[in-house]
Amino acid sequence: MLQVSNKKKTLAIDHNALDQQCINTIRFLSVDAVEKANSGHPGLPLDAAPMAYVLWTKHLKHNPKNPKWFNRDRFVLSAGHGSMLLYSLLHLTGYDLSIEQIEQFRQWKSKTPGHPEKNITPGVETTTGPLGQGFGNGVGMAIAQAYLAARYNKPDFKIIDNYIYGLVSDGDLMEGVASEAASLAGHLKLGKLIYLYDDNHITLSASTQLTFTEDCAKRFEAYGWHTISVNDGNDTKALDKAIQEAKKETEKPSLILVRTHIGYGSPHKQDTFEAHGSPLGEEEVKLTKENLDWPTEPAFYVPQGATEHFRKAIELGKKEEEEWNTMFANYSKKYSDLASDLNRLINSELPANWDSEIPTFQADTRGMATRVACSKVMQSISKHLPEFIGGSADLNSSTHTALKDMGVFENPSMKKGDTQGAEKGDWGYNGRNLFFGVREHAMGAISNGLAAYGGIRPYCSTFLIFSDYMRPAIRLAAIMGLNVIYIFTHDSIALGEDGTTHQPVEQLISLRAIPELTLIRPADASETAEALRIAITTKNKPVALALTRQDVPTIDRNRFAKADNLKYGAYILEDVANAELVLIASGSEVHLIIETSELLKKDNVRVRLVSMPSWELFEEQSAEYRNQVLPSSIELRIAVEAGSPIGWECYVGAKGEVIGIKKFGSSAPAKVMMQEYGFTAKNIYDRATTILKKQKS
Ligand SMILES: Cc1ncc(C[n+]2csc(CCOP(=O)(O)OP(=O)(O)O)c2C)c(N)n1
């Protein structure tokens, strides 16, 4: 019988002694690691250890010796600040995470960073820490699960058969992104999604009484979720029963609301925000250990019995994976095409013919918007790539990102309806068009989950201006190296009449500021095709495309350099012997520099034209190549881009100029906007003439 002596007494529960020992092992490994690092969050592991223990030892299907086994259950610690809870579980159940790594919590180059990071710690499915993101990631994983199951399972073979579990906190549920994602998950009836809510009534600096008093069960029921309440977070039997019930509910995602007490067992800090994010302190650690009948010495104590119990996961996981491998082998015999296709997806490989139907675009002075060209290319590749699924935040008719005839990812009880993109094809979990609704932030977080699950190449789309609504998720995709493709259209003030609020100015540079994200702003239909080729073939990195709303000419590639030079990030579009001036541009402004060069040629100015669709791709090239395109010997350079000029200085040099935008846009037709903001061949010509004169004088 465990009796906790503290100011707010919690219920005394009869625990099985081994369970109790294991739970306390999780608790005190976490507490000791935080103490040693002198930094971290002990409160959550102390309160959530019982639910995590029940989930990980009685339900979670995983193979600690092969964290990448495809049919494993996924576990998302959305409350990433509780990272030590996850590291304790990974260490104890036998992942490649030694006790030394636990002792190195939060230290330079350890495998136990402050918040969980995919690719650093084996078994961490997604990088969390920014609250709410993990919640959205789990929804994405559940969509990926449902899609792949619908596509590859057969009545006699449940090849894709796993759950997505998550641990979410007050902070997670307060964040808007979680509400967006929860609303969609409920609508989609994602029955394989099960979240445990650590309902401890305390956040970082206060009690939730000040900020978060709604009835969460009712809120989630209204979203279409199945909810279960567990009144005592230490009641392992009730927790087990709740998870069992949640697994039985196949048509709704489940939220298990578990009433816990932050910093459980700490005589002076339980139920206070002081337990949230600072070490308990030496004396309080001692008192807490005594209070929970735990030896005060040594630190990082793991009883032999607990190790043996947790490590059963290794044998069990091995057996489960072997059984699955046998099933897969039989599946391969009966459904060889499906099996090899799925294998290809799991290994992130492309089929040989994936790009065989990408159109070639002929020179055309009227041309087409790059968003339209992108749509054409997407249609041409989508039939070869079942892993290519995605959608927009209610902007299909503007971004043109629907995959024609590829169906709609919907809960199977939905009747076909009006989609504005009028996609034919199946409606159900095998549909390939995702309708995110007007939920950009969740779209970003869900796309990360789709990519993190594996087997999927997700794309998502909205206007470039609303990339701001997705930024936290884009940043995490970049940190994780996830293959998400962002299709941002209406990429400049040239979108016209929608006006100031819709016209991006600082968005291109703010995306370029995100490390490990490749941004491509193609100039015409041909460059757009190449940009998509890069997006699909890029491994372990997100790629964003910035596309025009307005038509742009399709460049004559017999006269100008070939569009496949886009892969170098910047390339010489047209050259002349002994060039004295370089005009550089991206996207729609490339056509302006072409026009300008005609004017300058009449004055016998020797102009080199450079198309620069991607800074990041250019920076990947050798110094030699970069110097060949933008040689230091040509000091007069003008860069033109209908966006913030910030950053272009390094490409134009001290004597160069940037024609960009330093203020917000305005509401007017596209042509007027471009004219008023100086994006005319005449203005570029005048600026060029001025700097040429200055140099000669
Ligand atoms: C988006 C975001 N905002 C703020 C923070 C800083 N932060 C970390 S934990 C936390 C609140 C913690 O409350 P809760 O989620 O209930 O966790 P608990 O106190 O129970 O550990 C905050 C504000 C964050 N990690 N992410």
Side-chain angles (χ1 to χ4, degrees), residues 294-570:
W294 197 250
T296 52
E297 293 289 338
F300 301 100
Y301 171 55
V302 181
Q304 184 61 27
T307 305
E308 282 165 14
H309 187 58
F310 277 115
R311 296 272 155 102
K312 284 180 192 159
I314 298 177
E315 229 5 78
L316 188 64
K318 183 167 172 261
K319 189 167 154 276
E320 282 178 316
E321 182 172 348
E322 278 169 6
E323 282 168 13
W324 186 80
N325 288 339
T326 307
M327 173 165 58
F328 199 90
N330 291 331
Y331 173 77
S332 305
K333 280 182 206 147
K334 196 161 171 191
Y335 304 104
S336 62
D337 287 355
L338 279 180
S340 64
D341 202 32
L342 177 58
N343 246 330
R344 182 180 69 68
L345 263 58
I346 292 174
N347 296 318
S348 309
E349 287 159 2
L350 289 168
N353 64 345
W354 76 272
D355 57 353
S356 57
E357 293 177 55
I358 292 186
T360 343
F361 296 96
Q362 300 307 322
D364 179 1
T365 46
R366 163 119 201 261
M368 68 181 80
T370 52
R371 64 178 166 148
V372 172
C374 179
S375 176
K376 289 181 192 297
V377 179
M378 286 170 71
Q379 309 314 324
S380 78
I381 60 175
S382 62
K383 59 185 92 152
H384 301 291
L385 299 176
E387 63 270 43
F388 188 57
I389 68 173
S392 73
D394 195 36
L395 281 172
N396 273 1
S397 47
S398 299
T399 61
H400 295 291
T401 40
L403 300 178
K404 299 213 172 71
D405 306 337
M406 294 288 175
V408 175
F409 182 90
E410 250 305 354
N411 79 63
S413 63
M414 275 291 290
K415 295 261 174 302
K416 282 195 179 189
D418 181 12
T419 67
Q420 271 245 327
E423 294 74 23
K424 292 189 210 134
D426 294 334
W427 279 50
Y429 289 148
N430 55 349
R432 297 190 33 197
N433 287 290
L434 301 178
F435 282 75
F436 290 101
V438 192
R439 300 185 183 96
E440 292 83 5
H441 198 175
M443 175 167 76
I446 288 171
S447 299
N448 287 352
L450 287 165
Y453 184 90
I456 303 284
R457 292 301 313 269
Y459 69 89
C460 59
S461 178
T462 184
F463 292 159
L464 178 61
I465 194 74
F466 301 132
S467 62
D468 284 351
Y469 272 48
M470 303 173 61
R471 194 174 172 79
I474 299 174
R475 184 170 194 273
L476 280 164
I479 290 173
M480 285 189 260
L482 296 174
N483 280 145
V484 180
I485 300 171
Y486 303 103
I487 300 173
F488 296 132
T489 67
H490 298 59
D491 72 346
S492 77
I493 55 166
L495 67 82
E497 294 85 343
D498 271 345
T500 320
T501 57
H502 282 49
Q503 293 168 351
V505 174
E506 71 281 21
Q507 281 62 34
L508 291 171
I509 185 60
S510 69
L511 289 170
R512 286 176 183 138
I514 299 178
E516 306 299 329
L517 170 71
T518 299
L519 174 72
I520 310 178
R521 186 167 183 253
D524 70 345
S526 312
E527 277 196 11
T528 305
E530 297 307 317
L532 262 160
R533 207 185 288 276
I534 297 283
I536 295 286
T537 51
T538 296
K539 291 207 166 180
N540 308 324
K541 251 187 178 191
V543 176
L545 309 186
L547 306 174
T548 66
R549 172 186 187 228
Q550 76 277 23
D551 287 345
V552 286
T554 305
I555 295 170
D556 180 354
R557 298 289 167 173
N558 290 321
R559 177 181 157 196
F560 295 97
K562 299 275 175 266
D564 64 359
N565 285 297
L566 173 135
K567 59 178 175 282
Y568 304 123

Side-chain angles (χ1 to χ4, degrees), residues 28-30 32-39 84 87-88 91 97-108 110-112 298-302:
F28 290 110
L29 268 187
S30 308
D32 286 341
V34 170
E35 207 60 28
K36 178 152 190 252
N38 197 22
S39 155
M84 258 320 303
Y87 300 148
S88 299
H91 166 70
L97 192 68
S98 66
I99 194 75
E100 288 75 26
Q101 289 295 335
I102 300 288
E103 291 177 23
Q104 286 299 300
F105 179 50
R106 294 189 156 217
Q107 304 310 307
W108 177 246
S110 76
K111 282 194 200 171
T112 46
F300 301 100
Y301 171 55
V302 181

Side-chain angles (χ1 to χ4, degrees), residues 41 43-44 47 79 81-82 115 129-132 168-172 174-175 198 200-205 208 262 276:
H41 301 74
L44 184 149
D47 77 35
H81 58 277
H115 292 78
L131 290 163
V168 303
S169 65
D170 298 312
D172 282 309
M174 279 192 245
E175 289 290 351
D198 176 29
N200 64 23
H201 293 204
I202 296 288
T203 58
L204 186 148
S205 62
T208 54
I262 194 164
H276 161 83

Side-chain angles (χ1 to χ4, degrees), residues 249-327:
E249 172 55 74
T250 56
E251 295 207 345
K252 289 177 179 178
S254 291
L255 184 73
I256 305 176
L257 301 99
V258 187
R259 177 67 173 106
T260 55
H261 293 268
I262 194 164
Y264 178 80
S266 160
H268 301 103
K269 298 199 174 171
Q270 177 178 315
D271 291 310
T272 73
F273 66 80
E274 284 173 66
H276 161 83
S278 338
L280 294 179
E282 201 181 322
E283 182 58 18
E284 191 68 10
V285 170
K286 186 167 165 280
L287 294 175
T288 309
K289 286 182 177 176
E290 283 169 2
N291 200 17
L292 297 185
D293 291 332
W294 197 250
T296 52
E297 293 289 338
F300 301 100
Y301 171 55
V302 181
Q304 184 61 27
T307 305
E308 282 165 14
H309 187 58
F310 277 115
R311 296 272 155 102
K312 284 180 192 159
I314 298 177
E315 229 5 78
L316 188 64
K318 183 167 172 261
K319 189 167 154 276
E320 282 178 316
E321 182 172 348
E322 278 169 6
E323 282 168 13
W324 186 80
N325 288 339
T326 307
M327 173 165 58

